[in-house]
Amino acid sequence: MKHVVCGLAALALVAATARDARAAASCSFMSATGPAFGSYDVFKASSTDSAGNLSFTCTGGASLTITLSAGLGMSYTPRLLQRMGGGATLPYNLYLDGNHTQIWGDGNGSTFVNGPLNPVDGAINMISIYGSIPPNQDVPLGTYNDTVVVTLNF
């Protein structure tokens, strides 16, 4: 069997502050874990799915949205896992829901943002990131990854 090892190498984290009357509001990341797809079997008839999560905390009555960048492939439809050493890509995507109906992005095109959210002050909030690689993609063996920037906008 032919297997490809893939996963998200990193989720880069950014907290962005809106400049308005809510300037006292604050949010910060606790942790971020991207979906780890493991080995991708090019002969498997169903998608390869995984989930990761974000944890964050907010204070000061923050209202926020969470966006994800397109990643190294610079596209949301689809995002691309890139083979280390170059030469090949493996299409995949990240979703707001486990049914993979809403592509998590920045709200442009066919993507959605997570929120607006109104977290309880000081509480640790956990949000899932659902990932999926479509089946039947014949790609060269190798390790594939992507880097996606996660932004808290409050």
Side-chain angles (χ1 to χ4, degrees):
M1 291 197 144
K2 184 175 177 183
H3 293 276
V4 176
V5 177
C6 52
L8 287 179
L11 290 174
L13 308 173
V14 177
T17 306
R19 298 194 186 266
D20 63 14
R22 295 174 291 149
S26 175
C27 293
S28 61
F29 287 101
M30 304 293 291
S31 67
T33 306
F37 296 105
S39 293
Y40 176 76
D41 181 348
V42 300
F43 300 110
K44 184 179 170 188
S46 60
S47 63
T48 300
D49 300 333
S50 183
N53 64 61
L54 301 171
S55 64
F56 62 94
T57 185
C58 295
T59 59
S63 177
L64 74 145
T65 59
I66 304 171
T67 61
L68 301 182
S69 72
L72 298 173
M74 305 302 291
S75 172
Y76 289 106
T77 52
R79 286 182 168 94
L80 299 173
L81 291 164
Q82 297 181 347
R83 184 172 177 231
M84 291 179 68
T89 58
L90 181 60
Y92 81 104
N93 228 319
L94 300 172
Y95 300 89
L96 286 169
D97 62 312
N99 292 326
H100 309 141
T101 61
Q102 295 182 314
I103 297 171
W104 192 345
D106 63 3
N108 290 309
S110 60
T111 72
F112 296 84
V113 301
N114 195 328
L117 306 171
N118 296 298
V120 174
D121 275 3
I124 296 174
N125 301 275
M126 298 284 291
I127 295 183
S128 295
I129 302 172
Y130 300 96
S132 184
I133 302 173
N136 303 316
Q137 298 185 68
D138 190 10
V139 295
L141 290 173
T143 300
Y144 291 72
N145 60 42
D146 195 6
T147 300
V148 174
V149 176
V150 181
T151 306
L152 296 178
N153 300 292
F154 56 94

